[in-house]
Amino acid sequence: MHNENEEHWSDHAICRGADPDLFFPIGYSAPVLQAQEDAAKAICANCPVIADCLSWALRVGEPDGIWGGTTPEERRYLRRTADAPARRPLPVIVVRGDASEPEHASAA
């Protein structure tokens, strides 16, 4: 449980004094939106708690804004790849009549 006197990672975030609109970009054109995202990510890049911020945003499923230096789309990608089961090689399946099978090639 969180004690009111206990420090929280967000107490050390360098974005605390920044304009919140910067981290929740609303652009009417792609270049404006990209410029806002880039400005927010530049602040995140120098933040001592970027990993904690990103971890929190992924854990709670934050759908909006720049958190931990990531956009909502980037976080969705991270969640999908983290939740994906480990990939194993599939067994090789030989189909009858496959031209690569030597026995079928000699029977032809």
Side-chain angles (χ1 to χ4, degrees), residues 8-10 24 49-70 75 78-79:
H8 187 263
W9 64 264
S10 61
F24 293 90
V49 293
I50 189 172
D52 295 316
C53 182
L54 177 57
S55 176
W56 177 85
L58 290 170
R59 191 171 57 252
V60 302
E62 180 58 57
D64 300 307
I66 305 296
W67 293 89
T70 62
R75 290 192 301 279
L78 290 171
R79 281 192 298 272

Side-chain angles (χ1 to χ4, degrees), residues 27-87:
Y28 295 102
S29 71
V32 170
L33 184 61
Q34 189 63 54
Q36 288 176 297
E37 287 179 358
D38 291 346
K41 286 181 172 189
I43 292 172
C44 294
N46 294 307
C47 186
V49 293
I50 189 172
D52 295 316
C53 182
L54 177 57
S55 176
W56 177 85
L58 290 170
R59 191 171 57 252
V60 302
E62 180 58 57
D64 300 307
I66 305 296
W67 293 89
T70 62
T71 64
E73 294 79 19
E74 292 164 338
R75 290 192 301 279
R76 280 192 290 275
Y77 174 78
L78 290 171
R79 281 192 298 272
R80 274 196 314 270
T81 56
D83 292 342
R87 292 184 174 204

Side-chain angles (χ1 to χ4, degrees), residues 89-108:
L90 294 173
V92 176
I93 298 173
V94 178
V95 178
R96 284 190 197 187
D98 187 345
S100 65
E101 282 185 70
E103 61 196 63
H104 288 287
S106 62

